[in-house]
Amino acid sequence: MYKEGVILLILIYTEQILSLNIATTFNLTFMHDTGYNIFMTFLFATVSGFIFNRLYLAKAIKVIDNIQIQEDEEAKKYLRKQGGTSIVSALLLAVGMVIFAWLNATYFLF
């Protein structure tokens, strides 16, 4: 579910940029001095938790429904392949996030 995760990161990043732009444009410094950031973080975490739980459940049900069990070993191999994780993809995503954060902090991309 990397695609969905990247979409969530983009949404969170966009919200942070918008709130920073609104706060600086309209001189609303209280937005960052109060619990606004904590509230928004809690809100995004809660909402995304519910959404991603449903997305993952739907994906799992779809994979299980697609199995045509002919033999137990074949079904196990199929499930392992569909439910497997990729350490390479996770590492590339983590390195990409670090590079993006560094570029953003260094060159103020957004």
Side-chain angles (χ1 to χ4, degrees), residues 35-100:
Y36 173 77
N37 283 335
I38 295 170
F39 172 75
M40 290 306 290
T41 301
F42 180 75
L43 180 68
F44 266 114
T46 303
V47 170
S48 64
F50 283 113
I51 291 171
F52 276 82
N53 189 26
R54 287 187 178 268
L55 288 174
Y56 186 77
L57 182 62
K59 179 182 177 182
I61 290 171
K62 181 180 175 184
V63 168
I64 291 170
D65 284 344
N66 287 336
I67 296 175
Q68 296 176 356
I69 299 178
Q70 296 173 354
E71 293 181 23
D72 288 335
E73 286 301 315
E74 186 177 325
K76 288 179 184 178
K77 288 179 185 178
Y78 178 77
L79 281 176
R80 281 191 195 110
K81 179 182 175 189
Q82 292 298 315
T85 58
S86 169
I87 190 70
V88 174
S89 297
L91 288 174
L92 286 175
L93 182 63
V95 168
M97 288 172 57
V98 168
I99 290 171
F100 183 74

Side-chain angles (χ1 to χ4, degrees), residues 10 13-14 16-18 20-21 100-101 103-105 107-110:
I10 290 170
Y13 190 74
T14 303
Q16 290 293 317
I17 295 301
L18 287 175
L20 181 63
N21 286 339
F100 183 74
L103 286 172
N104 190 34
Y107 300 107
F108 303 103
L109 294 177
F110 298 102

